[in-house]
Amino acid sequence: MNPPGPMNPPSPAQPLVLGIESSCDETGVGIVRGTTLLTNTVSSSMDEHVRFGGVIPEIASRAHLDAFVPTLQEALHEAGVTLQDIDAIAVTSGPGLAGALMVGVCAAKALSVATGKPLYAINHLVAHVGVGLLDGAAAGTRGGAAGLGSGGRLPENLGALLVSGGHTEILRIRSITDDVEMLGSTIDDAAGEAYDKVARLLGLGYPGGPAIDKLAKQGNAKAIRFPRGLTQPKYMGTAEEPGPHRYDWSFSGLKTAVARCVEQFEARGEDVPVADIAAAFQEAVVDVITSKAVLACKENGIKDLLLGGGVAANSRLRELTGQRCEAAGITLHVPPLALCTDNGAMVAALGSQLIMAGIGPSGVAFAPDSSLPVTTVSV
């Protein structure tokens, strides 16, 4: 049990919360007042990882150290507040890269001790959903919905499809502060990770998502048929008797199929149709993600779905998710792209929700957890 925070919980009414995010390669500091976003400042170290073809944890951690103070200062300046004005601090405690998390958590603890402000350790996956509660952050695309958090509350039985470099999962959110259920997830590579690996196979560089999305527009997605993992009857089962992976995904076999395809063209001495492969690969990914996500929503009575995570920037994923949600009578909510990727605003937003729900602070004795389960909203 963690000791109490340096101060009592702030007043639940419109708390001014500073959020800190450092789970991967973005150093994010956001400030919200209640459900109003004041600033979302992000410093990315992505360029430092390009030559390695992926995020190097040690480089990311050092970049967080260098970027944190300037990013914090910029956020406070943009919001027009001081540290003494802040009611509480929220920080990502997991999941994520262990070293990167440690930098953010230590910075948050130092600020908490120095200022006497209460500290909330939160789950950054749930924060991807919480960001939708910021005013105007996730307007619905069906039925004229005013926004995800209309009236300051989430829709009942909300679904969340989170797609990023480290996570691909479908969640059911009954309460943003204490009732989050995992319906399905990837059992191996996340979708973003698969994009990066396939981009490397095709010589497209890093990050792979934007490169493949752009090139796929020039290719024929029907030229090659790549497998859709975990869609066979033995994995799917039926609604009455669900299989072991009815709502789960697998992308490692798809990556291997792309590799074999490239090898076959090269073995025959033929030019590799990179654009067609990119298009066919992307279609395989978004087809299986959207079909399973919509299935999970339909079978669990979910009528509102939030799409978040870095891969939410993918044009084909947004398009197909919108089409299938509309056909199924599901209202799709997509935050602005700047709020889909990892950022401090989402951390502050969830921290604000915890405070307004009357939940006490975490204290300073908690440790970052790189594998924090999504069912643990706050530590």
Side-chain angles (χ1 to χ4, degrees):
M1 188 81 175
N2 285 337
M7 287 228 175
N8 293 325
S11 169
Q14 300 296 304
L16 184 64
V17 183
L18 173 74
I20 298 169
E21 156 62 24
S22 68
S23 63
C24 191
D25 60 342
E26 284 102 3
T27 306
V29 177
I31 301 175
V32 306
R33 188 185 299 277
T35 57
T36 301
L37 176 62
L38 302 184
T39 184
N40 179 37
T41 306
V42 178
S43 174
S44 176
S45 63
M46 181 181 293
D47 290 345
E48 298 182 43
H49 306 281
V50 169
R51 64 193 177 102
F52 300 103
V55 175
I56 305 301
E58 178 65 20
I59 293 176
S61 300
R62 291 178 181 274
H64 287 308
L65 283 170
D66 292 338
F68 179 74
V69 171
T71 306
L72 172 64
Q73 291 173 333
E74 182 180 348
L76 292 169
H77 176 74
E78 287 184 356
V81 300
T82 68
L83 282 174
Q84 289 306 318
D85 296 327
I86 298 294
D87 292 318
I89 299 167
V91 64
T92 293
S93 62
L97 301 175
L101 289 170
M102 183 66 74
V103 175
V105 166
C106 288
K109 288 182 178 181
L111 287 176
S112 177
V113 171
T115 62
K117 307 297 182 179
L119 178 60
Y120 287 78
I122 63 98
N123 189 310
H124 103 263
L125 295 181
V126 184
H128 275 296
V129 183
V131 76
L133 278 167
L134 294 175
D135 296 336
T141 57
R142 176 186 174 274
L148 179 60
S150 180
R153 294 185 178 184
L154 288 173
E156 292 185 7
N157 205 23
L158 170 72
L161 175 60
L162 305 182
V163 190
S164 70
H167 305 277
T168 304
E169 47 220 350
I170 179 75
L171 312 176
R172 173 161 55 187
I173 317 290
R174 293 190 178 92
S175 168
I176 191 66
T177 58
D178 59 13
D179 193 350
V180 177
E181 178 187 359
M182 174 94 72
L183 297 178
S185 67
T186 178
I187 66 171
D188 42 54
D189 291 349
E193 186 180 5
Y195 267 90
D196 288 339
K197 291 179 177 179
V198 167
R200 193 155 54 241
L201 286 170
L202 298 178
L204 300 179
Y206 175 85
I212 288 179
D213 191 21
K214 181 179 180 180
L215 186 60
K217 293 179 172 64
Q218 304 172 26
N220 178 7
K222 297 181 179 179
I224 304 165
R225 172 74 181 184
F226 286 126
R228 275 66 167 163
L230 301 183
T231 56
Q232 299 90 336
K234 65 178 179 179
Y235 298 122
M236 295 293 294
T238 64
E240 294 74 23
E241 296 185 16
H245 295 293
R246 187 166 179 80
Y247 306 141
D248 293 333
W249 296 278
S250 171
F251 299 108
S252 63
L254 173 59
K255 174 201 66 181
T256 302
V258 173
R260 298 291 86 80
C261 178
V262 171
E263 290 173 359
Q264 289 169 7
F265 278 103
E266 291 176 340
R268 295 194 297 264
E270 300 175 6
D271 291 337
V272 177
V274 177
D276 287 348
I277 293 176
F281 161 77
Q282 176 160 277
E283 195 65 20
V285 172
V286 301
D287 179 25
V288 72
I289 286 178
T290 56
S291 63
K292 288 205 170 197
V294 170
L295 177 66
C297 289
K298 290 168 62 177
E299 294 184 349
N300 288 277
I302 293 170
K303 294 297 183 181
D304 287 86
L305 178 67
L306 180 136
L307 174 63
V311 184
N314 181 274
S315 63
R316 181 57 179 153
L317 177 63
R318 293 162 73 95
E319 177 186 34
L320 191 55
T321 306
Q323 291 172 354
R324 288 182 168 172
C325 281
E326 183 175 7
I330 298 167
T331 299
L332 178 65
H333 305 266
V334 186
L337 292 183
L339 297 179
C340 286
T341 55
D342 293 342
N343 62 84
M346 70 183 193
V347 178
L350 180 54
S352 180
Q353 291 297 315
L354 293 170
I355 294 166
M356 291 189 289
I359 295 174
S362 304
V364 295
F366 69 91
D369 183 351
S370 60
S371 57
L372 186 68
V374 73
T375 50
T376 301
V377 178
S378 60
V379 179

